[in-house]
Amino acid sequence: MKRITILFAAMSLCAVTTTAQNKVGEFSLKPMAGINVSDLSVDEDVNYKSKVGFTGGVEAEYGVTPWLGVSLGVMYSQQGAKFESTLEEYGVDDNGRKVAAMLNLKGKLKADYVNVPLLANFYVWKGLAIKTGLQVGFLVNDKENGTVIMAGTTVPDFDKITYEDISNPSSNYFISGFGFEGSDICKSVVFGIPVGLSYEYKNITLDARYYFGLTRMDDVEDDAAAHNRCLSITLGYKFKL
């Protein structure tokens, strides 16, 4: 909390010495589009990797002071993540043989949102703004698909089995696999905090934001809580109203 207070104080001090980006009382509209690099933050054995998607929409901004603007936007956002996990399992098959198996899970989660960010834009230099605020996301569509590959081998003693014994095809006595697909696994509404920078030159604005999800994004209560993480880079054009 101290760090956040210090950051806002520093932004305010910088802003006082700058020139205005928006005139006080002036409205502007900014259509914008770009890409997302999204991921999930979760404490479990699944290895999540970034997924690239599209984002686009429009923001309206109002000039509050010579160095502060407040904006409200509506953005369509393709988010989610790729994932991969390897698990070792031990048990006894139908013939009473001790079996060690390795499960390899690989797939992709797609989660599309309509995001509504409410931001404070601190203009710290000509054309340069630091921004932060709150964002609510409304789920439009979600889909998960992937494959599971299982390889197993009989073992005389579980305590002596190694990972190589399970994963080495020459010692496996079975290999099987299947695909999976699902939906309705994400919550319909999520909340988070976006922080970022933007630079405007002749009404053209380059914007970079990072979104920290505060609420869990999945509806699978038995699993560890997953939170959205997303880097968005967009290009927009600002119209004065």
Side-chain angles (χ1 to χ4, degrees):
M1 194 67 176
K2 277 186 182 178
R3 291 182 180 178
I4 296 176
T5 304
I6 292 171
L7 176 60
F8 273 98
M11 289 190 301
S12 298
L13 287 173
C14 290
V16 169
T17 61
T18 60
T19 58
Q21 178 65 23
N22 284 332
K23 292 181 180 179
V24 177
E26 184 177 72
F27 283 95
S28 63
L29 200 64
K30 181 174 63 179
M32 51 202 294
I35 63 169
N36 285 332
V37 181
S38 61
D39 202 346
L40 296 178
S41 172
V42 60
D43 296 327
E44 61 178 25
D45 294 331
V46 178
N47 179 24
Y48 285 98
K49 298 180 180 179
S50 299
K51 183 182 87 67
V52 177
F54 167 80
T55 184
V58 64
E59 281 190 347
E61 185 172 352
Y62 175 74
V64 180
T65 72
W67 51 268
L68 174 65
V70 175
S71 63
L72 181 66
V74 178
M75 302 288 294
Y76 179 77
S77 182
Q78 295 178 335
Q79 296 172 213
K82 298 177 182 178
F83 55 86
E84 186 172 358
S85 178
T86 300
L87 302 174
E88 295 179 47
E89 300 289 342
Y90 302 93
V92 179
D93 68 7
D94 294 337
N95 297 317
R97 296 175 297 186
K98 290 183 177 181
V99 176
M102 180 183 69
L103 303 177
N104 181 261
L105 169 68
K106 186 181 292 187
K108 180 187 293 185
L109 171 65
K110 299 179 180 179
D112 299 340
Y113 295 91
V114 171
N115 290 326
V116 181
L118 176 62
L119 301 175
N121 304 296
F122 300 90
Y123 291 95
V124 297
W125 193 64
K126 289 194 228 178
L128 181 65
I130 297 173
K131 51 189 64 187
T132 188
L134 293 173
Q135 179 173 295
V136 57
F138 300 95
L139 184 69
V140 176
N141 179 54
D142 66 339
K143 184 177 181 182
E144 183 181 48
N145 55 55
T147 58
V148 177
I149 303 296
M150 182 170 66
T153 183
T154 56
V155 295
D157 191 341
F158 291 144
D159 294 335
K160 296 181 180 179
I161 189 68
T162 67
Y163 182 84
E164 287 74 18
D165 292 331
I166 306 174
S167 60
N168 183 2
S170 63
S171 65
N172 290 336
Y173 87 99
F174 69 83
I175 297 178
S176 62
F178 60 90
F180 64 90
E181 186 172 307
S183 59
D184 298 326
I185 58 177
C186 298
K187 287 187 176 294
S188 57
V189 181
V190 292
F191 295 89
I193 296 177
V195 293
L197 292 169
S198 68
Y199 182 73
E200 180 183 338
Y201 179 72
K202 293 185 178 180
N203 291 358
I204 297 175
T205 304
L206 179 64
D207 191 297
R209 300 177 195 175
Y210 193 82
Y211 170 80
F212 299 88
L214 296 179
T215 55
R216 68 180 297 163
M217 55 79 65
D218 62 307
D219 230 353
V220 186
E221 298 297 337
D222 292 338
D223 291 347
H227 297 82
N228 282 315
R229 298 287 187 266
C230 185
L231 171 65
S232 301
I233 300 175
T234 60
L235 196 63
Y237 191 85
K238 202 169 188 179
F239 296 94
K240 307 292 184 181
L241 299 180

